[in-house]
Amino acid sequence: MTYCVAAKLRAGLVFLSDSRTNAGLDQISTFRKMLIYERPGDRFMCLLSAGNLSISQSVREILQVEKLPDHEGGEPITIWNARSMFDAVRVLGSAVRHVYERDGESLKRAGVDFNVSMIFGGQIAGEGMRLFQVYSAGNFIEATPDTPFFQIGESKYGKPVLDRVITPDTPLDEAAKCVLVSMDSTLKSNLSVGLPLDLAVYEADRLQTERITCIDEHNPYFRMLHDTWGQKLREVFDSIEDPTWDGTPTEVPLMAGSERAQPLRKITNEREKLI
C-alpha cells in the first residue's frame, strides 16, 4: 500500500509521497512513488502513483514516449510539447490505457486486478497551475477551489487534518506542514505506509523548483513535527471535559435527551418483541 497527497493552492502546489511497497507481511520494499518532469522556464510537472507497482512502473516508462495525435495537424502531443496540462494529462491517461491493453487480460487470468491511481499536476508556460487525479481507466478529474487536494492510496487516516486546514488560500509552507501531519497520522495508524518520504513544493509561475527533499526517520523537522503533533493532540484531548453520569454540575450535560429519539431500550427477557 502507499499514501500520496497533493494540494493546489493559489500560492503553488505541494506534493508528498511515501515509499513503502508491500507484497505480503514479510515482503516489504522501498520504491519511490514521485517523479518530477521539469524544463526550467517552460514546464514543471509532478507525478505520484499508487496501486500495483508493476502497472505504475510500466505507466511511468511508457509516459516518456507516449504520443497523442494532434487534431490540428501538428506534431504528435507528448508531455514535453503539450501546450496545456490538460493535454499532458490526456497523454498520461493514454499511457494507462496502453498498459491495460498490453497487460490487462494476462493480469485478469492471473487473478490480479488492474489497479493503479495517480496524481498529476504542474504548470506549463502560458497557463495557470492545474492538478488532476487519474484512475485505472485513464480517465481523470481536476482539482477545484472546492476540492483543493487529492489523495491516493491509504487516504482515510490523513484526511481529517486536510479537511480542516487546506483551502486555496493556505500559504505554501503551512500546506507543506499540513500534508506532513497528514502523512504522520497515516504512518501512525497503518504499517503499510512507511518512510522515507518525498516532498516537493512548487511556487506558482516559477516553472521550476528547488524545494525537493527526501525525509527519513532521522530528519529533524519531521521528528519535531511527529513529537509535537502527538503532544499537542494529547493536550487538547485532556483539555476537553469528560462526560458526567452522576449528576455532577456541568454546562455540557451528556444525558440531555434527544429531540429526535428516546434512549435505546433494553431487552430484558425472551418474550419481549424487538419492534
Side-chain angles (χ1 to χ4, degrees), residues 32 35 37 91 97 115 175 191 198 204 218 251 256 260:
R32 302 184 105 156
L35 195 60
Y37 306 88
V91 177
R97 289 187 290 271
N115 174 30
L191 293 176
D198 287 305
H218 305 297
E251 294 182 1
R260 296 184 58 188

Side-chain angles (χ1 to χ4, degrees), residues 28-129:
I28 297 174
S29 303
T30 297
F31 288 93
R32 302 184 105 156
K33 319 291 178 60
M34 180 184 294
L35 195 60
I36 290 177
Y37 306 88
E38 181 182 280
R39 184 183 289 147
D42 177 56
R43 66 195 59 217
F44 167 88
M45 298 174 290
C46 184
L47 176 66
L48 308 177
S49 59
N52 184 290
L53 181 62
S54 69
I55 296 173
S56 60
Q57 286 189 336
S58 293
V59 171
R60 287 162 58 159
E61 189 73 21
I62 289 175
L63 182 59
Q64 290 282 83
V65 296
E66 187 72 5
K67 298 178 181 179
L68 289 178
D70 184 357
H71 298 301
E72 296 180 2
E75 63 180 271
I77 301 169
T78 72
I79 60 169
W80 295 108
N81 67 8
R83 292 185 290 272
S84 70
M85 282 298 301
F86 183 82
D87 280 346
V89 76
R90 285 178 55 226
V91 177
L92 175 57
S94 177
V96 173
R97 289 187 290 271
H98 189 149
V99 175
Y100 178 79
E101 291 167 2
R102 188 191 69 185
D103 299 339
E105 281 302 316
S106 58
L107 288 170
K108 185 178 180 180
R109 288 194 296 271
V112 178
D113 292 332
F114 189 86
N115 174 30
V116 67
S117 54
M118 297 182 160
I119 296 174
F120 187 55
Q123 186 173 16
I124 293 175
E127 70 162 9
M129 301 173 297

Side-chain angles (χ1 to χ4, degrees), residues 178-194:
C178 183
V179 299
L180 286 169
V181 168
S182 174
M183 179 65 76
D184 180 68
S185 299
T186 307
L187 293 170
K188 180 72 173 176
S189 299
N190 194 305
L191 293 176
S192 70
V193 178

